[in-house]
Amino acid sequence: MSISQMNFFQRIIYLLQTYWMSYLKGAGTTLVIAIISTFIGCLIGFAVGIIQTIPVDKKRDSAPKRALLKVVKIILKAYVEIFRGTPMIVQAVFIYYGAAQVFNIQFGMWSAAFFVVSINTGAYMAESVRGGIISVDPGQMEGAKAIGMTHFQAMLYVIIPQAFRNIIPQIGNNFIINIKDTSVLSIISIVDLFFVHKSVAGALYTYFESATIVMVIYLIMTLVSSRLLLLWEKKLDGDENFELADAMDVGTQFGQDIRGR
């Protein structure tokens, strides 16, 4: 029986039997790009978000330092606005094809893929990090400085851990978005899940059937990812009920710590 004589479900079964390995490899490529790029994007976002929230003290900071910080913040603000305000597919074309043609910068397909998704994720994460830092009670920073911490130490040990917990849902959201948005990378010939769909559908004219398979695979990946991220959030929340430490034990431990010093 030829594929044109098959019904809808028979064609889906035929595609799965014939191209299951291609679909699986495409899904693996999609996940690898999404995971690595989300991680790199988070690092970029934290760096940009932290710099954007550095306070400027006109009395203590020198004029060159204030000027430099202002210029850096303007550049970072432009980066965030540009990559949040333009489609990723246009960014991929601009970086992969445009950079080679105009600036003579040669990107490999994989390098361009990771670069595009990472800097795009970084732009969104930068605003999330900035908002997460701002959402922390200002008294936390004041208290940290009151016990002798520098601004850097206060950010590293007090503010960032709290901000990180606040933005975990956004990190998960960006990861799920990246799983879906990596489909635009097929325009630079990355063989991801969507590229496999286009190849199979174009060869056999089974656009609806192949799209159905790919949609189900994308749905499975996003649902599983959402569930794992939710479990991660709950793990960081800890137990709902915490037992109070015995006052005597606490006092004994405190005395031991003091004597140890």
Side-chain angles (χ1 to χ4, degrees), residues 95-194:
I95 291 172
Y96 185 66
Y97 296 109
Q101 182 177 353
V102 178
F103 305 108
N104 198 29
I105 300 175
Q106 301 292 334
F107 277 98
M109 288 187 303
W110 284 96
S111 299
F114 286 120
F115 184 73
V116 169
V117 182
S118 295
I119 59 177
N120 188 278
T121 303
Y124 283 94
M125 282 304 305
E127 287 299 289
S128 299
V129 172
R130 187 180 66 85
I133 292 174
I134 293 174
S135 68
V136 177
D137 189 342
Q140 298 286 321
M141 176 63 77
E142 295 172 3
K145 289 185 176 180
I147 62 174
M149 285 188 177
T150 63
H151 178 79
F152 176 79
Q153 290 173 326
M155 290 293 293
L156 181 62
Y157 297 112
V158 179
I159 306 301
I160 296 300
Q162 296 181 67
F164 177 73
R165 177 60 188 86
N166 293 339
I167 64 175
I168 284 178
Q170 186 59 38
I171 293 175
N173 186 50
N174 281 329
F175 175 63
I176 292 171
I177 289 174
N178 284 341
I179 290 177
K180 297 179 294 181
D181 283 358
T182 51
S183 59
V184 306
L185 298 176
S186 61
I187 199 170
I188 60 174
S189 301
I190 292 293
V191 187
D192 68 333
L193 184 56
F194 186 71

